[in-house]
Amino acid sequence: MAAMPTYIQKRLALFLFLTIVALVGLAGRIAWIQFGEGQLLSAKVRDQLRESRVMQSPRGTIYDRTGRELAVSSMTKSLYANPREIKDASVLADLLGSVLGISPEGIKERLMTGASFVWIKRTLEPEQTKAVTLLIKEHGLTGLGFVEESKRYYPNDSLAAQVLGFVGTDDIGLEGIEMTLDKTIKGRELKQVIDTDSHGTPIFKSIFSFIPEKQGKSVYLTIDSTIQYIVERALDKAMAETGAQAATVIIMQPKTGEILAMASRPTYNPNQFERYSSEQWKNRAVSIVYEPGSTFKSVIAAAALEDGKVRPDERFIDKGFVEISGRRIKNWSDESYGDVSFIDIIKNSINTGFVQIGMRVGAAKLTSYVRGFGFGKVSGIELPGEEAGLMFDPKEMRDSDTATMSIGQSIAVTPIQLTAAIAAIANDGVLLKPRIIREYRNDDGTLAEAFEPIAVRQAISPATARTLTSMLEKVVSEGGGKKAAVKGYRFAGKTGTAEKLKPDGNGYLSGRYIASFGGYGPVEDPQVAALVVLDDPAGIYYGGEIAAPVFSDIMSQVMRYLSIRPHEGNPLLPPDNPVVKSAELPYSVPIADGPSAPPPPGHVLVPVLSGKSIREVGEDLHSLGLTFVPVGTGSAVKQNIAPYTAVKPGAEIIVYFEPR
């Protein structure tokens, strides 16, 4: 056998040598990767093939004081995409844009980011989820998937919108109670680690079958949704009739400080908050400051009586004007009333009389009493955006400042401050902190925390409060507040008409006013205090003419709803109206012939309510003078009194609602 040529042996030896060197080098590299960089590279692989997704369990439910749902959370689908699996981003964007109501350009821009996970749209409506599912099936779309997320829903739409506020797409409360109690009612954040393939696609899509854990605490508000509805309906009517640009109504329980209703106009639907402006989101009850005008004279009268500077029967001379430090202050009517008593001054809201009284008390003491009623600082109600108002520093006050403050000018207050002050007079002079939260409950329904009334201070003595109440009652029964009267009941109150300040605070807007009325009752045992504020009405602008009737409309319904007995012997009580609780008003058996049979004299027929919304039912019943008590949300399914039953006005109709 011939010997292998030398050059071949050399080549073979070189090959073997290089192979051994390569194997040794490879073994060394493997050893280095395994033992030197093993942990670091493993972590990189985990980062590349795993993703963390934060899921949110539902927020706690917000209820009214009776347990009716005002804000709830439900699970809904959110659409995501993996752009690496998308075949044609333009086609997909066009298809999705048409069913989701968003621009195809925006969708395409998200798909071109290069990420392995992008949101297309969060918290879809059920019909949108069905439409996308159908698109995926019909067009064989890839790279799309759904995630279960919690969505906030407001079953009563705009009812108490500014009180409730709303929640953003990242489950963050952005306005109202949702913002104030965000940490309390917000659900838990759940971090999930998802294994993916090299394209970033989840290996087990079952991880998106999100099962929420415990929700956040539920909150019960002091709001009564029925009273809230009464207020909002009256407010909408007033806006239409007066042409006001904005308005506010607050109803408060004088003995507890609880807010039973709080409404502002303009308003919005928190289910679609993004369609409205920040001006419509604003809760005017706590966030606007304005010159109160004559409604503030109740506080001035309280200060003068408490300080002993005036007697109810004391007489004054009204010349129609008074000059203080070179400034002439006239009566709102431009008239002179001559020889008048202090009661007449209050009853007819005589400016010159209040200026004389305010000057007697003096700047320092007057300011002290006013601050004692809670003006000049926030009330502390559990709502965001509350303003403190504007007050004089008594050390810097001129006589003209004392005079103008005595008639409710040159200072600025918020509606919630003025409501609390009115309620303090009704509550034997005790100022209470306004409250809108009643209690918290855990997800199992057990009580977590309850809140009790908080007395801030004794603003005036009980005797002074009762004396003033008797005088303010005459404003309603005999004076400028006659249109605030509630048949069958004795109410006290004060009208107000004030020029509207310029936005910069320097001077007044010509021909623009704020009309108001604040009152409480029944005077023998006050159960409610309320303030009505109409901002910039068109045409008639006097508080006694346009705000007082709104107060009367609301209170007549609230008295029936609360089953408060009318006052026996009240001159406003018609002689043929028996003193009986509204819940006890008699009604006859259903009329067999249905709507064709007329009701007996003094009766109305209960309408067919099935299938109607809460607002539609309320409008139907209130137009007949019937008291509406809703139970549940959605569409009407049952009513406690059968259709075509003849009942007396004021009868309580309980209507049960269920989701559509």
Side-chain angles (χ1 to χ4, degrees):
M1 183 175 178
M4 186 180 294
T6 302
Y7 75 92
I8 293 177
Q9 292 180 1
K10 289 181 178 180
R11 289 180 179 179
L12 182 59
L14 179 61
F15 174 75
L16 291 174
F17 174 75
L18 293 175
T19 300
I20 292 170
V21 170
L23 290 173
V24 170
L26 182 60
R29 179 60 178 166
I30 291 173
W32 172 250
I33 291 174
Q34 179 67 31
F35 301 107
E37 295 184 332
Q39 292 183 348
L40 178 62
L41 293 176
S42 294
K44 286 185 177 181
V45 170
R46 285 195 299 271
D47 291 341
Q48 291 175 356
L49 300 183
R50 284 185 176 181
E51 291 188 9
S52 293
R53 309 273 167 84
V54 176
M55 315 299 285
Q56 190 76 44
S57 64
R59 296 170 76 87
T61 302
I62 299 177
Y63 298 95
D64 82 341
R65 67 189 298 115
T66 67
R68 296 170 190 159
E69 293 177 341
L70 299 176
V72 297
S73 290
S74 59
M75 300 309 296
T76 186
K77 303 284 187 182
S78 289
L79 180 65
Y80 73 92
N82 181 350
R84 299 174 186 176
E85 291 186 349
I86 304 299
K87 297 177 182 178
D88 191 325
S90 297
V91 172
L92 181 63
D94 289 337
L95 290 172
L96 293 179
S98 62
V99 299
L100 297 180
I102 53 180
S103 74
E105 292 76 16
I107 296 176
K108 186 177 179 181
E109 185 177 340
R110 297 178 201 177
L111 296 175
M112 303 301 289
T113 59
S116 61
F117 180 96
V118 294
W119 289 114
I120 300 299
K121 187 173 183 180
R122 308 283 288 275
T123 60
L124 275 63
E125 296 296 330
E127 59 271 16
Q128 292 178 324
T129 301
K130 291 179 182 178
V132 173
T133 302
L134 187 61
L135 282 178
I136 293 173
K137 184 177 180 180
E138 289 181 347
H139 297 273
L141 302 178
T142 58
L144 296 177
F146 295 104
V147 177
E148 291 278 351
E149 286 198 292
S150 174
K151 181 180 180 179
R152 202 59 160 171
Y153 177 61
Y154 303 90
N156 302 301
D157 293 329
S158 62
L159 189 76
Q162 286 92 353
V163 171
L164 297 173
F166 53 83
V167 176
T169 53
D170 292 320
D171 202 47
I172 298 174
L174 300 178
E175 289 286 344
I177 287 292
E178 297 279 24
M179 178 178 178
T180 304
L181 301 185
D182 191 54
K183 292 182 179 179
T184 302
I185 62 179
K186 191 173 184 178
R188 292 181 56 197
E189 286 189 352
L190 306 174
K191 186 175 182 180
Q192 293 185 327
V193 178
I194 304 167
D195 291 322
T196 65
D197 61 19
S198 59
H199 298 289
T201 304
I203 294 174
F204 301 107
K205 292 192 177 182
S206 62
I207 56 91
F208 287 127
S209 298
F210 174 58
I211 301 176
E213 292 192 1
K214 294 181 179 180
Q215 64 178 23
K217 287 185 174 66
S218 292
V219 58
Y220 284 73
L221 302 182
T222 62
I223 294 289
D224 185 308
S225 57
T226 298
I227 297 178
Q228 182 75 25
Y229 176 80
I230 291 170
V231 165
E232 296 205 17
R233 182 175 177 275
L235 203 50
D236 288 336
K237 180 182 176 183
M239 291 284 287
E241 292 179 348
T242 67
Q245 298 302 302
T248 299
V249 173
I250 305 172
I251 298 184
M252 180 177 177
Q253 277 192 337
K255 299 175 183 178
T256 65
E258 293 182 331
I259 302 298
L260 298 178
M262 178 182 285
S264 296
R265 291 295 183 272
T267 189
Y268 70 102
N269 185 344
N271 290 308
Q272 302 168 329
F273 67 88
E274 68 281 353
R275 299 183 181 182
Y276 300 85
S277 68
S278 58
E279 186 67 22
Q280 291 166 296
W281 299 344
K282 183 185 296 183
N283 187 346
R284 300 176 61 83
V286 299
S287 63
I288 66 161
V289 293
Y290 70 105
E291 284 194 356
S294 295
T295 48
F296 193 72
K297 292 174 180 176
S298 300
V299 176
I300 302 301
L305 287 168
E306 182 71 12
D307 206 50
K309 294 297 190 293
V310 66
R311 301 185 314 276
D313 60 349
E314 187 172 351
R315 305 199 69 80
F316 295 79
I317 298 298
D318 167 41
K319 298 186 296 184
F321 68 92
V322 62
E323 290 195 4
I324 303 292
S325 300
R327 178 171 180 175
R328 174 173 285 204
I329 298 174
K330 301 185 297 180
N331 291 327
W332 63 272
S333 62
D334 286 330
E335 295 180 4
S336 169
Y337 291 87
D339 184 8
V340 293
S341 69
F342 182 44
I343 294 177
D344 293 326
I345 289 173
I346 292 178
K347 189 170 64 175
N348 296 307
S349 196
I350 300 174
N351 284 343
T352 61
F354 275 99
V355 170
Q356 294 178 62
I357 292 164
M359 296 302 293
R360 285 187 186 183
V361 179
K365 280 193 173 182
L366 195 62
T367 303
S368 177
Y369 279 114
V370 169
R371 291 189 181 278
F373 272 99
F375 296 100
K377 62 181 179 181
V378 296
S379 70
I381 192 171
E382 308 93 333
L383 289 168
E386 184 180 7
E387 293 287 345
L390 299 172
M391 284 285 299
F392 284 112
D393 180 345
K395 296 178 181 178
E396 300 175 359
M397 288 177 68
R398 299 166 297 180
D399 286 346
S400 59
D401 296 328
T402 305
T404 53
M405 185 169 74
S406 299
I407 59 173
Q409 294 181 359
S410 302
I411 59 168
V413 306
T414 63
I416 190 64
Q417 288 174 337
L418 189 52
T419 305
I422 293 167
I425 298 171
N427 189 36
D428 282 341
V430 179
L431 177 70
L432 296 177
K433 176 184 175 182
R435 296 188 298 127
I436 204 161
I437 297 174
R438 204 173 199 196
E439 62 187 30
Y440 299 137
R441 288 191 175 270
N442 300 311
D443 67 312
D444 61 0
T446 58
L447 181 65
E449 187 176 4
F451 299 92
E452 299 297 328
I454 298 175
V456 180
R457 70 181 62 85
Q458 185 82 43
I460 53 176
S461 68
T464 298
R466 292 166 193 158
T467 298
L468 182 57
T469 291
S470 67
M471 301 168 77
L472 293 174
E473 183 186 1
K474 291 185 179 296
V475 174
V476 177
S477 62
E478 303 173 13
K482 286 181 180 179
K483 291 188 177 181
V486 181
K487 287 186 178 180
Y489 301 89
R490 297 165 58 201
F491 271 79
K494 188 71 188 71
T495 61
T497 306
E499 293 180 283
K500 190 169 181 179
L501 289 167
K502 290 181 178 179
D504 60 6
N506 295 318
Y508 298 95
L509 295 168
S510 177
R512 299 174 67 179
Y513 300 88
I514 294 178
S516 59
F517 183 88
Y520 56 92
V523 294
E524 59 272 16
D525 184 19
Q527 298 297 310
V528 288
L531 177 68
V532 177
V533 181
L534 300 177
D535 190 339
D536 205 5
I540 299 173
Y541 54 82
Y542 293 114
E545 293 295 320
I546 62 173
V550 180
F551 179 91
S552 176
D553 182 19
I554 292 171
M555 286 301 148
S556 62
Q557 297 179 63
V558 170
M559 292 297 101
R560 290 199 300 266
Y561 170 69
L562 296 177
S563 296
I564 296 175
R565 294 175 64 89
H567 177 69
E568 296 187 54
N570 191 329
L572 297 175
L573 184 65
D576 59 346
N577 186 5
V579 179
V580 60
K581 288 187 178 182
S582 62
E584 299 170 350
L585 286 169
Y587 57 88
S588 66
V589 297
I591 298 174
D593 294 334
S596 61
H603 291 67
V604 295
L605 293 182
V606 176
V608 177
L609 303 173
S610 179
K612 295 184 178 182
S613 68
I614 290 180
R615 183 170 292 276
E616 291 170 336
V617 170
E619 290 174 351
D620 288 351
L621 294 180
H622 286 303
S623 67
L624 297 172
L626 300 175
T627 301
F628 174 36
V629 181
V631 177
T633 58
S635 299
V637 295
K638 186 173 63 173
Q639 57 197 80
N640 70 323
I641 298 180
Y644 313 126
T645 300
V647 301
K648 287 188 175 182
E652 187 176 89
I653 311 299
I654 303 174
V655 186
Y656 300 86
F657 296 83
E658 291 183 359
R660 296 179 177 85

